[in-house]
Amino acid sequence: MKRILSLMLFAAFTMMTMSAQNNTLTEKEKSEGWQLLFDGKTFNGWRKCNATEMAANWEIDDLSMKVKRGEKAGHGQGGDILFGTEKFANFELSIDWKIEKEGNSGIFYYIVEEPGKPIYNAAPEIQVLDNWNASDNKLTNHLAGSLYDMLPALPQNAKPAGEWNTIVIRVKDGKVTHTQNGVKVVEYTLWTPEWYELVANSKFKDWPGFKEGPAKEGYIGLQDHGYDCWFKNIKIRKL
């Protein structure tokens, strides 16, 4: 009986410790200028793209923002969202994410809202994917952490469906890096001849937003791709 009670107390302590660590900033992070974009309890600051209200198909689950699977897997319910209180230009963004089996989603920056246009109309996307089971896993630049359809995340070190990953996107004067699970996997520079060559060789080659941009600043956003996907520890600092 004492052993069972000890195990129960240990489990409760572990859960409390994990809860305290999630969606919080250390004193060091605060001194470095980090700010939370998600408090673990509410959608304060978040809203549906091109709208004033929060998308209905998101919920708070497991200390995370969760977008829920649509009636048909892979078909979103128009629930792409963004942090709408501030635009960012030079920044470092850190997000923890996990996804269901076969799942697909994305993280966007430099979002510019245009009525009738999707969130990805002109915004670079960092891919979120179950690399092993998703149908969109045939191209290396479609795997998790990649600059979607443009540059692959190498080495590919994403964790399987159901496990947490951490992605850090750093943008400074056009120079961008993606660091996935502690390893730099992508590096590029916006608005250069090399950037526009990447655009020309991608699915975005005829998209005005990519041919002309991206913008010099914009919103941070998350995709509804019709799969269960969780995001937490969403924090950013200006550079």
Side-chain angles (χ1 to χ4, degrees):
M1 183 65 182
K2 288 183 179 180
R3 176 177 172 79
I4 295 174
L5 182 59
S6 296
L7 289 172
M8 291 176 64
L9 289 171
F10 177 76
F13 175 77
T14 301
M15 290 181 66
M16 289 176 62
T17 302
M18 290 177 63
S19 177
Q21 292 174 343
N22 281 302
N23 308 306
T24 61
L25 296 175
T26 65
E27 291 304 316
K28 183 175 184 294
E29 287 174 323
K30 292 176 183 177
S31 69
E32 292 173 343
W34 289 94
Q35 65 182 92
L36 286 174
L37 301 189
F38 171 57
D39 62 13
K41 302 174 183 178
T42 70
F43 290 114
N44 288 347
W46 292 86
R47 59 178 173 81
K48 185 176 176 180
C49 184
N50 286 314
T52 57
E53 73 283 353
M54 180 60 188
N57 61 319
W58 288 74
E59 64 182 8
I60 306 297
D61 176 67
D62 189 24
L63 301 172
S64 310
M65 299 170 57
K66 177 188 176 184
V67 58
K68 296 183 287 185
R69 172 189 278 260
E71 292 184 7
K72 185 176 181 182
H75 293 261
Q77 303 172 64
D80 295 335
I81 63 171
L82 52 81
F83 185 75
T85 65
E86 187 173 0
K87 296 179 180 180
F88 297 92
N90 293 322
F91 62 87
E92 190 171 12
L93 171 71
S94 181
I95 299 180
D96 292 351
W97 63 267
K98 71 176 180 179
I99 199 159
E100 69 167 318
K101 184 177 180 181
E102 301 182 356
N104 189 335
S105 187
I107 300 166
F108 301 93
Y109 68 92
Y110 284 176
I111 297 166
V112 177
E113 291 180 286
E114 293 186 51
K117 300 289 186 180
I119 196 170
Y120 48 80
N121 180 56
E125 177 183 355
I126 295 84
Q127 176 74 313
V128 169
L129 196 77
D130 169 14
N131 286 347
W132 288 263
N133 302 291
S135 60
D136 194 20
N137 67 354
K138 308 302 185 294
L139 300 176
T140 56
N141 60 12
H142 285 200
L143 299 180
S146 298
L147 174 64
Y148 182 71
D149 207 57
M150 297 173 75
L151 280 174
L154 298 173
Q156 181 48 244
N157 64 344
K159 297 176 184 179
E163 295 187 23
W164 286 104
N165 295 266
T166 299
I167 188 77
V168 178
I169 303 109
R170 189 180 194 277
V171 184
K172 174 65 172 174
D173 299 329
K175 295 181 179 180
V176 187
T177 58
H178 303 176
T179 299
Q180 183 165 257
N181 296 325
V183 179
K184 185 169 70 174
V185 294
V186 177
E187 188 170 13
Y188 53 96
T189 305
L190 301 169
W191 315 301
T192 61
E194 292 77 16
W195 166 261
Y196 290 110
E197 184 177 356
L198 289 172
V199 171
N201 291 317
S202 74
K203 65 184 289 184
F204 309 113
K205 62 182 180 180
D206 296 321
W207 294 31
F210 277 83
K211 291 172 68 175
E212 300 166 5
K216 300 290 185 178
E217 67 172 9
Y219 296 112
I220 303 297
L222 305 172
Q223 187 178 36
D224 165 24
H225 209 306
Y227 296 95
D228 285 348
C229 188
W230 295 256
F231 300 92
K232 68 178 181 181
N233 296 325
I234 307 172
K235 54 192 176 186
I236 196 168
R237 66 171 174 171
K238 297 177 183 177
L239 299 175

